[in-house]
Amino acid sequence: MKFHRIASAVSLCCALLVSGTVLAQDAGDTLMSDAGLFYRMHLPAQGSGGAPVVFLLHGMGSNELDLMSLDSAFPDKYAVVSVRAPYELQPGSYEWYQSKVVDGTMDGDTAQLDGSAQSINQLVADLLRRYGFDRTRVYLVGFSQGAVMTYEVGLVHPGTYRGIGVMSGDLYGSLEPKLHPSMPLMKMKVFISHGDADQRIPVQLAEQSYGKLLRLGVRRTEFHVYPGMGHEINSAALDDLAHWLKFDTPDAD
């Protein structure tokens, strides 16, 4: 079986910083900056107007090029925006927040979690306005730390996002006080993928997160556990995610 492993870091080509505009070229893609975040974007052949859009959030120690490599697996009609985390660990390596343990449980620096979440939500708002994407089909998909961020953003602003894809992630305890059952949350769709051999974020945490979603009334959730999969995205998980995106249409509600 072919595996799509999420690298700890991906080297970037050298770039000359030009504030707020084009920063670099890589394989025909343009590195751009808005709302304090760098990102790369693929637009569908028919253009951005009315296109569904998925925003990709990478894991700790990686960058926006990593998940962008999965772009070809998504339905052709989707616009894809891959976002770089704001905190640099070393050249080409970034994180959304610093991890920490709270009461024996993994969590994150709350100021950094909140700051990254606000920047992501602002970037989404800016690009929706600029490119005319379909506002009824906006998705966040993340891996590891990026998956944590899909919870941090999507569950706090459920009216903006039709669905979130949580790949090897966790719903942190620090987020729970901000969440309350609501009609927008009940309508949100969630895709969860996790490996039963994940040693970084044990599958039991994904199961607990799923239970938290149910208690919030988020019942339109697909929860997939993949035997033998570690902290990664394998071909089965990627295929299931692509299927979820392809067949999630407003007329299917």
Side-chain angles (χ1 to χ4, degrees):
M1 178 179 291
K2 180 180 179 182
F3 287 84
H4 298 264
R5 295 192 177 275
I6 303 304
S8 59
V10 181
S11 61
L12 290 173
C13 59
C14 296
L16 176 64
L17 178 62
V18 181
S19 178
T21 56
V22 175
L23 298 180
Q25 291 292 131
D26 180 79
D29 296 327
T30 300
L31 183 62
M32 295 175 283
S33 174
D34 283 286
L37 295 173
F38 298 138
Y39 62 94
R40 294 177 190 268
M41 179 166 54
H42 284 167
L43 297 178
Q46 68 269 26
S48 62
V53 58
V54 55
F55 290 81
L56 303 177
L57 310 176
H58 64 76
M60 184 183 72
S62 188
N63 60 41
E64 78 288 349
L65 289 173
D66 196 0
L67 291 187
M68 198 58 150
S69 66
L70 307 183
D71 171 64
S72 61
F74 298 145
D76 293 340
K77 60 187 175 182
Y78 272 78
V80 179
V81 181
S82 189
V83 188
R84 178 192 295 178
Y87 301 106
E88 185 175 31
L89 296 172
Q90 58 187 15
S93 176
Y94 304 87
E95 66 179 359
W96 297 99
Y97 56 88
Q98 268 194 327
S99 298
K100 66 178 183 179
V101 176
V102 179
D103 297 328
T105 303
M106 186 59 67
D107 211 297
D109 180 282
T110 52
Q112 292 181 336
L113 284 165
D114 289 346
S116 289
Q118 291 173 15
S119 294
I120 292 167
N121 201 53
Q122 186 60 55
L123 175 66
V124 171
D126 289 349
L127 297 191
L128 288 178
R129 182 173 57 252
R130 184 178 309 160
Y131 290 93
F133 298 128
D134 183 351
R135 291 177 177 269
T136 69
R137 298 187 68 189
V138 181
Y139 302 84
L140 287 174
V141 173
F143 171 77
S144 193
Q145 268 202 359
V148 171
M149 294 310 304
T150 66
Y151 281 139
E152 296 281 333
V153 178
L155 298 184
V156 174
H157 304 280
T160 300
Y161 303 95
R162 180 173 175 83
I164 58 175
V166 183
M167 310 191 83
S168 303
D170 185 16
L171 198 166
Y172 284 163
S174 60
L175 180 63
E176 291 184 69
K178 303 177 184 179
L179 304 178
H180 306 282
S182 66
M183 188 59 68
L185 270 179
M186 290 177 63
K187 292 182 177 181
M188 172 168 276
K189 295 191 174 184
V190 181
F191 174 92
I192 300 173
S193 67
H194 217 100
D196 66 0
D198 191 333
Q199 295 184 340
R200 185 168 299 176
I201 302 179
V203 68
Q204 290 81 6
L205 294 179
E207 293 168 348
Q208 292 172 19
S209 298
Y210 178 57
K212 294 174 184 177
L213 292 176
L214 293 181
R215 290 192 291 275
L216 285 167
V218 185
R219 302 189 182 277
R220 304 171 76 179
T221 301
E222 289 188 20
F223 183 22
H224 300 264
V225 176
Y226 301 91
M229 188 175 86
H231 194 64
E232 60 195 344
I233 300 173
N234 69 10
S235 58
L238 183 58
D239 288 347
D240 287 339
L241 173 66
H243 184 274
W244 179 72
L245 289 170
K246 181 178 181 179
F247 291 100
D248 180 38
T249 58
D251 58 9
D253 289 342

